[in-house]
Structure formats: C-alpha cells, structure tokens
Amino acid sequence: MKKLLPLIPLLVLTACSNPILSSSGNSDSSSSSEVTSSVASTSTSETTSSEISSSSSSSSLSSSTSSSSSSVPSSSSSSSSSSSIEVPPTPSELFDSFHELLGLKNSTLIDENYIEQKFIEGNVLTNHYFGKFAEQGDDGYCKYLDQGLYHFNFIEDGIEIDRCKTVNNDIDMCEFFYTTYDLKDFKTKWKKTTDDFVYTSTEKEISVLIAELDGQGVLAEGSDSFTSKLTLASDGKSAKYETTTISNDFGTFQMSFNVKDLGTTTHDSVTSYLATAPRLEITNEFPSEVKTAINSMFAMDINAPTGTSYAHDSYVSYNNDSVSQIFYEDFLAGDQVSNYRSYLESIGFILSDITDEKDDLKKLGYVRYYYEKVVGSETLFVELYFVPKIQLDTFEQTLYPNGILHLRFIRPNE
C-alpha cells in the first residue's frame, strides 16, 4: 500500500532512517569520474600488457639487440599519454546517471510560482512556499529520532513538531508522499527525441506524477490526454519536468518544475534541530489548538483520555469563523473507550440514539459511540471509538501497532 496521504490537497502541500542528517558529497561529479576512471583503467591495462610482452621478448634477445628493446619505454610512454585523455559521458550515460541519483532520495524540487521542496537523505521533507501560497507558512515532515514520522512547522526559533503519521520509524517516507524519488521509476517510459537531452511521453502515469509533485494532481487525474517532456541539463546534474493535460470538460492545464542538487541537498536549520532534539513525551493532554477549539464549541473544558500521547493527528475545521469539527486520533493511547465514556457521562453528555452497537460490530468489528450535549440552542456530538490492530490492513498494522483511538467533536449537519 503506497501513498496513504497526498502531499497536499489540490494546490496546497501538507507528502529514510537516520534523523541526524549530513550533507553527502557531489554524487554527480562522482558518477562522471567513474566513467572517466573506467576509460583510464582500460588504457592502463592495455599498456601494462604491452610492457609485459615487450619485456618478455627483450629478455630472450642477446645483448647485441639491446637497442631494439630500448623502444619499449617509448611505447609505454605513448600508451600512458593516451590513457590520460578523458572521454566525456554520452547523453545516454548522463540520462542513466541522473536517474540513479534520483534514487539517493536527496534532491530539490522548485517551482518559483509555488514551492521549493527539499528531500533530504529520505529522512526530511521541507516545503518553502512562494507567492499566494506563502501565507500558509513553511512546513515539512521528518523522521524524529526513533519515535516515528511527524509533521512540523517552522517557527522563529526552530521547528515545532505536531502531527504524527506513524509511530514506526522503519516506515519509508516515500510510502506516504510523492517525492522526486518516484520520478526514477519512469526512466524507461521516456522516449528520445532528436535533441540528445530532451525526452517525451504521452503516458498518463508520468503526467499525473508531475502534477502531483506540483500540487495539482487532481487536474491531471481528470484529464483525457497527456503530453510530458523531460529536459536534462547538458551536465546531467539537473532537469526540467513539464506536462500539458487536456480535459474535454475543463480545458488545458500546464505544470512544470525543476529538479536539482541531487545528492547534495541540505537544510541547516532542520539538521541542527534534529541533531539535538529532545525526546517527545506523553502529556495526557490534547494539543493546544484542540483544547481551544473544544472550549469554543462547548463553552467548557473537556479533558483528553488517559494515555493521550505525542503520537497523534489532529485538525480543526471552521465554518464562517465558527468551529465546525474537531478531529483527533491517538496512535499510542490504546483502547480508552470505556474510561472515556464514563468521563463524558460525568460531565453531562448522554449516549445518543444514533449509536448502533450491533450494526457497527457486524460491519466494522468495533463500536462507534456517539455522545450528545445541548449547548445553547444546539445539540453537539462527540464520536468515540477504538480501531484495534486486528481490524487494520496489513500495511496499516505496521503504521499503528497500538491501534487507533478516535475522537471527533461535531456540530450538527457537519
């Protein structure tokens, strides 16, 4: 199961073990030097063979023919001279090398109208937004120590960890997000053109991936025809990806971005933070945004379940500036349903008649409880359930080995 979460919804970006990052060497230069080295090695091998043969013939001659053997050093010198000639890699070799470098999970994607995204050693994904998208603030995802994969926001004095995507630190970040790493899988689907460094494709898969990475995957998914182009730099160290999609219902869409700094991408502030980051601790409290939203919706404070942890995912949605839904899931708390039901009842919530235990058990394997409370002229609801590990699919079980405790605070008709 791949790509559980889109990197962002339409036009809004939200998406592999050592969190202490280091900048790798210039992989592109090293690939080029390997080609040169191979050529030099071949010439040297031929020279050595020539020297051995000449030396053997020379040793069998009498001293009167020594002048003839003196030609051996001259021949050797000529071979050595030819071995120093560097043969530049061909366009095809640069194409291969570029795709090998994509596999390092270390590169920068940039669309100056939208985003600069850095993928660092497979452990960090950072998003810097441009133009109208900048107001949402820079963010990213990282492998945090050995505690799993987390979302973070950039703040004035560093980064702030918030939402958890999995408590399993062994999960590859590419299982969650489309990244430049995915581009390598389409190497064989590009067709050469008369230009040595330009390749084209009409395959939907390539177009959709380009669109996904540029934050517009929905547009490509709904299109009817696709034309994509890959333009490789003459040194094979960067490239431009472009796609044009045509929807019979909605028109033509064009998307593009550049990929660069393969194998050398870094982000100093994230690297520095993760090098000394403290371990995350269980607080037994809702995140501050959730607490504030609950108080706004119910005009009262509502405690979190026992065992509420740092490994959570939460969102607050609004309608006309009023809180409409509060979503919270915990991946370490375990089954707290019984305790939390008692707590809700103790603060005035009653079990709603929309709860259907038998039907839920039959269809889901667990029960969704709904509690309600009248606040002013409204009846507000709390949805509560626990999904045990056994009810998750095989891949989800690796993500959430403790199961998922789910809470949702709801206004009617939301």
Side-chain angles (χ1 to χ4, degrees), residues 162-177:
D162 51 21
R163 303 190 303 272
C164 177
K165 293 305 168 192
T166 175
V167 294
N168 185 350
N169 200 59
D170 294 328
I171 294 297
D172 194 315
M173 189 178 287
C174 298
E175 295 284 359
F176 282 88
F177 309 114

Side-chain angles (χ1 to χ4, degrees), residues 171-238:
I171 294 297
D172 194 315
M173 189 178 287
C174 298
E175 295 284 359
F176 282 88
F177 309 114
Y178 290 102
T179 69
T180 52
Y181 175 74
D182 293 288
L183 292 167
K184 73 177 183 57
D185 294 335
F186 296 99
K187 173 185 171 183
T188 60
K189 297 184 181 294
W190 291 106
K191 295 180 180 179
K192 293 181 180 180
T193 66
T194 54
D195 187 323
D196 284 339
F197 297 99
V198 177
Y199 303 80
T200 61
S201 172
T202 56
E203 298 221 9
K204 179 177 180 178
E205 284 182 299
I206 290 181
S207 187
V208 169
L209 177 57
I210 293 173
E212 287 282 1
L213 290 172
D214 205 35
Q216 304 178 68
V218 174
L219 297 180
E221 284 284 2
S223 294
D224 302 290
S225 66
F226 315 88
T227 304
S228 301
K229 183 166 73 170
L230 166 60
T231 306
L232 194 66
S234 58
D235 61 2
K237 295 182 179 181
S238 60

Side-chain angles (χ1 to χ4, degrees), residues 392-410:
L392 301 173
D393 66 35
T394 302
F395 179 66
E396 289 176 326
Q397 288 183 19
T398 66
L399 301 179
Y400 315 116
N402 284 34
I404 303 172
L405 178 65
H406 171 97
L407 273 166
R408 187 162 61 109
F409 300 86
I410 321 162

